[in-house]
Amino acid sequence: FALVAAACASGGSGSGGGNPDLITREQIDELPEGTAYTVIQRYRSSWLRARSQGSFTSGSPDYAVVFVDEMRYGDIGSLNRISSNQIETIQYISATDATTRYGTGYMGGIIRVNTRGR
């Protein structure tokens, strides 16, 4: 029990500490070099899944849109073009919060990548 409690108290490897919507540089450093996609796949794979099966008009699933340093960057696949060495933090923004901050069109939410030294 003491071993499990100690792991929980320290956050444990890959636990993300207290914020389920944030991946930190410290966590990224625990992994071999990769991409933003591989980092998210390791720590928060649910961010990569569709949030819904689509609307009546589009019919296609709603995936998160990727932003890099506050600029729209692309779809989920574009995460494979971002080296993990460039990343300071990765944050998931829910559809509701994304709509408030960026307007409509983000039913899958936003994955926001903040780069180092920006």
Side-chain angles (χ1 to χ4, degrees):
F1 174 74
L3 193 59
V4 173
C8 290
S10 69
S13 180
S15 72
N19 188 342
D21 295 329
L22 183 69
I23 299 171
T24 65
R25 180 74 232 164
E26 181 180 79
Q27 292 171 283
I28 295 166
D29 284 340
E30 293 176 3
L31 300 175
E33 185 177 338
T35 65
Y37 190 94
T38 59
V39 170
I40 294 168
Q41 193 172 40
R42 168 66 169 87
Y43 290 118
R44 306 284 193 282
S45 62
S46 64
W47 296 0
L48 302 173
R49 293 188 205 117
R51 296 289 172 226
S52 70
Q53 292 306 311
S55 64
F56 292 114
T57 55
S58 76
S60 59
D62 292 315
Y63 290 92
V65 174
V66 177
F67 275 58
V68 175
D69 296 331
E70 298 295 329
M71 299 290 294
R72 188 177 178 136
Y73 187 74
D75 62 13
I76 290 288
S78 68
L79 291 166
N80 284 307
R81 296 192 308 261
I82 305 168
S83 169
S84 60
N85 290 331
Q86 299 173 313
I87 302 168
E88 185 62 34
T89 60
I90 306 173
Q91 180 180 17
Y92 177 75
I93 300 171
S94 71
T96 303
D97 289 342
T99 299
T100 301
R101 290 182 190 182
Y102 300 99
T104 60
Y106 303 104
M107 293 307 298
I110 290 174
I111 295 174
R112 185 169 63 193
V113 177
N114 295 307
T115 59
R116 300 170 102 181
R118 58 182 173 109

